[in-house]
Amino acid sequence: MELWYTENQNDHLRFSCRVTRTLHVEKTPFQHLAVLETPVLDRVLVLDGIVQTTVWDEFMYHEMIAHVPLNTHPRPEKVLIIGGGDGGTAREVVRHPRVVKAVMVEIDERVIAASRQFLPELSQGLDSPKLELRIEDGIEHVAQHPGEYDVIIVDSPDPVGPARGLFGRQFYEEVARALKDDGLFVAQSESPLFNAELIAEINRYLRSLFPLVRLYLTCVPTYPGGMWSFTLASKRYDPLQVEPISIPELPYRYYNAGIHHAAFTLPQFLNELLDQD
């Protein structure tokens, strides 16, 4: 008998992959959690029926959400990660040579536990001496730490349930207050193909709070549409002004100096959506 995992990406589109083994299933206090083993994607983390990450393509997402902001800020010494319980973003942040301390705030400790057990490739950074791991609400943490961080990275699930608050204007106002005077932040901002209205809304909010807001893209084959967006908002530093020579030489698998700049070159439908040329 064949076992298949199917994700309903919307009412008219589904994504399926063959499952060789179900490694873990549980209902946490916050969500349904599963880890699946597949022949193509390797191990897959699924929350509430939605793929969060896979061992096969996670580097495309985690390197881009982390290294673009870390290399835009010239001194990203103290970094906050909100969400990212699988550990992939933390892994990238702590290996950046200019990061002195990273604080990771994840509300669901069971995601961390499952990732430690089944996704060691991603979760290895959780044991770094640079990292302080806190099990608490990221929204509350941001509100309680004004002027503390150089860089804030919001690695959130889709904007449903408890994560919806991570996409609202009030949260972005608190993020702006939690950043230092020259701070910047990046949030994953969903699919340009299926969440265009949300992306436009996020950009409107952020443009009223930050002098510089830019959208950039990566490819994540297991996310809806394959094209994925991040939104960077900065009080001072422009990612397009980064000198390639300033980017640390690390064993990247996706990110590099050329990608850093090219990721901000948007297709015309997004330029029109954001009213930028």
Side-chain angles (χ1 to χ4, degrees):
M1 184 181 74
E2 292 187 350
L3 178 63
W4 287 74
Y5 160 79
T6 298
E7 175 183 317
N8 294 321
Q9 297 191 340
N10 60 36
D11 291 340
H12 309 288
L13 182 67
R14 294 177 176 177
F15 166 82
S16 295
C17 63
R18 189 190 305 274
V19 176
T20 52
R21 189 162 49 134
T22 301
L23 299 174
H24 184 76
V25 176
E26 71 171 290
K27 181 69 172 68
T28 81
F30 299 94
Q31 56 206 332
H32 184 275
L33 184 159
V35 182
L36 311 175
E37 185 178 77
T38 75
V40 175
L41 308 179
D42 206 319
R43 279 150 285 126
V44 180
L45 174 66
V46 180
L47 298 178
D48 285 339
I50 299 173
V51 170
Q52 301 301 304
T53 193
T54 83
V55 171
W56 178 61
D57 65 0
E58 57 85 12
F59 65 97
M60 302 179 183
Y61 175 92
H62 291 122
E63 289 186 9
M64 291 299 284
I65 198 174
H67 294 292
V68 171
L70 294 179
N71 289 323
T72 297
H73 197 295
R75 296 172 302 281
E77 296 178 354
K78 189 169 185 181
V79 179
L80 173 64
I81 305 164
I82 298 175
D86 55 70
T89 298
R91 178 196 66 201
E92 297 303 316
V93 169
V94 298
R95 73 178 181 137
H96 194 284
R98 291 192 288 269
V99 171
V100 176
K101 181 177 182 179
V103 178
M104 176 176 155
V105 179
E106 165 63 51
I107 198 170
D108 194 342
E109 63 183 340
R110 294 304 304 157
V111 175
I112 294 172
S115 298
R116 285 186 184 277
Q117 182 175 358
F118 298 107
L119 304 171
E121 301 91 339
L122 282 74
S123 61
Q124 58 187 273
L126 297 178
D127 295 319
S128 169
K130 287 186 178 182
L131 186 74
E132 176 186 345
L133 182 58
R134 302 174 68 113
I135 308 301
E136 58 190 42
D137 188 317
I139 296 174
E140 294 180 3
H141 180 92
V142 165
Q144 295 166 3
H145 292 79
E148 188 164 329
Y149 294 102
D150 298 302
V151 174
I152 295 176
I153 300 173
V154 183
D155 182 6
S156 67
D158 294 339
V160 294
R164 179 62 201 176
L166 297 173
F167 291 81
R169 179 182 175 87
Q170 182 177 349
F171 174 65
Y172 297 139
E173 290 174 349
E174 297 291 357
V175 166
R177 281 192 284 269
L179 289 168
K180 296 178 183 177
D181 290 341
D182 64 346
L184 60 86
F185 98 104
V186 160
Q188 75 85 8
S189 46
E190 299 291 303
S191 165
L193 298 172
F194 298 112
N195 305 101
E197 291 183 4
L198 175 65
I199 290 172
E201 180 182 82
I202 290 171
N203 272 259
R204 284 194 299 271
Y205 290 156
L206 293 177
R207 286 178 182 177
S208 70
L209 299 169
F210 291 84
L212 188 147
V213 179
R214 295 196 186 279
L215 188 78
Y216 66 97
L217 303 175
T218 191
C219 171
V220 187
T222 49
Y223 288 176
M227 178 188 292
W228 209 250
S229 77
F230 305 95
T231 301
L232 183 148
S234 175
K235 294 184 178 182
R236 184 178 302 176
Y237 305 113
D238 187 343
L240 298 183
Q241 300 301 315
V242 172
E243 294 291 340
I245 195 171
S246 71
I247 294 177
E249 294 185 5
L250 297 174
Y252 307 113
R253 296 180 63 198
Y254 186 89
Y255 175 83
N256 57 40
I259 288 288
H260 178 100
H261 291 87
F264 291 92
T265 301
L266 302 179
Q268 190 57 25
F269 78 92
L270 283 178
N271 285 328
E272 294 172 0
L273 175 73
L274 303 175
D275 293 322
Q276 63 182 46
D277 295 313

